[in-house]
């Protein structure tokens, strides 16, 4: 079992819809969670971080964390074609390694 | 504020040749990371520096890879000799502090092709 799991997709949604991206993690000591967006041929760009259970909103993006279920998600409201990218979920343990563990990413396609 | 700077952006070499990558982190960021990203995968940590000290190099293949961060700012990652399987994108990232709550910001990466 991978430490951070994401559906590879592609997840296809129409323009203006809500895109829901999901991520599960296996290590219960994980305490901080990040969503990165990666366009083809580009490097990962940080878009959201979340540390506490519940929702965190930033513009069109909402991150949701449920530590009991070991589940973190990213909602993108009013999806735009420019949101088409791969979204990487990353999890950081709170042990001495502070290692960021990435999932393989979910590819999102927003249809005009 | 300038982001993480990396060079070169692309490198093509023959197998068994040496190669070096350079990284300049965001000003004020004490922690620097080198990651490797293969196609279709997430980045994987190679080494983490806190200032000039390598505090986690457990994933660095030390027979052929080496890294340094002199004066706790710029860093260089070297491969000698390169193998076909080293073809990947090498990413540098930096963060302000050393706790797991610190956000990491990536540079543009160096795409290495080994022929």
């Amino acid at each position: 079992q991978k430490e951070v799991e994401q559906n590879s997709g592609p997840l296809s949604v129409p323009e203006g819809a809500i895109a829901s991206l999901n991520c599960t993690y296996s290590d219960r000591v994980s305490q901080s969670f990040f969503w990165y967006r990666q366009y083809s041929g580009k490097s990962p760009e940080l878009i959201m971080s979340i540390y506490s259970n519940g929702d965190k909103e930033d513009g069109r993006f909402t991150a949701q964390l449920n530590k009991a279920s070991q589940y973190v998600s990213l909602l993108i409201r009013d999806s735009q074609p420019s949101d088409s990218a791969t979204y990487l979920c990353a999890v950081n343990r709170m042990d001495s390694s502070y290692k960021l563990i990435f999932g393989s990413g979910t590819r999102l396609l927003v249809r005009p | 504020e300038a982001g993480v700077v990396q060079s070169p952006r692309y490198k093509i070499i023959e197998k068994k040749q040496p190669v070096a990558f350079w990284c300049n982190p965001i000003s004020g960021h004490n922690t620097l990371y080198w990651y490797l990203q293969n196609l279709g995968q997430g980045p994987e940590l190679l080494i983490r520096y806190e200032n000039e000290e390598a505090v986690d190099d457990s994933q660095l293949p030390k027979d052929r890879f080496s890294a340094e961060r002199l004066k706790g700012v710029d860093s260089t990652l070297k491969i000698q000799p390169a193998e076909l399987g080293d073809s990947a994108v090498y990413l540098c990232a930096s963060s302000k502090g050393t706790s797991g709550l610190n956000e990491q910001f990536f540079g543009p990466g160096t795409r290495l092709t080994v022929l």
Side-chain angles (χ1 to χ4, degrees), chain B residues 2-3 6 13 21 23 32 34 38 42 49 52-53 60 71 76 80 82-84 88-89 97 104 108 113:
Chain B
Q6 289 187 251
I13 60 172
F21 315 123
C23 173
L32 183 147
W34 283 102
N38 287 305
Y49 281 94
E52 63 273 8
E53 183 182 0
L60 190 72
K71 301 181 181 179
T76 302
Q80 182 170 9
E83 296 179 353
L84 294 177
V89 176
Q104 298 182 25
T113 301

Side-chain angles (χ1 to χ4, degrees), chain A residues 7-105:
Chain A
N7 188 315
S8 62
L11 172 66
S12 182
V13 300
E15 184 173 356
I18 296 175
S20 178
L21 304 161
N22 304 316
C23 172
T24 58
Y25 59 96
S26 60
D27 193 340
R28 285 196 172 273
V29 301
S30 300
Q31 293 293 326
S32 52
F33 308 86
F34 305 88
W35 283 100
Y36 287 82
R37 177 175 63 198
Q38 187 170 28
Y39 292 112
S40 181
K42 302 294 185 182
S43 63
E45 173 192 8
L46 180 66
I47 53 173
M48 289 287 287
S49 58
I50 186 166
Y51 313 115
S52 304
N53 277 328
D55 294 1
K56 178 182 178 182
E57 187 175 318
D58 184 359
R60 296 187 296 113
F61 298 98
T62 299
Q64 299 175 317
L65 175 60
N66 184 324
K67 290 185 180 178
S69 299
Q70 295 177 243
Y71 178 93
V72 58
S73 65
L74 179 71
L75 301 179
I76 306 175
R77 290 182 299 282
D78 188 24
S79 295
Q80 301 297 308
S82 59
D83 294 326
S84 298
T86 296
Y87 288 79
L88 297 165
C89 172
V91 170
N92 205 329
R93 300 193 191 108
M94 287 301 278
D95 60 14
S96 59
S97 71
Y98 301 125
K99 182 181 293 185
L100 206 58
I101 307 296
F102 284 84
S104 296

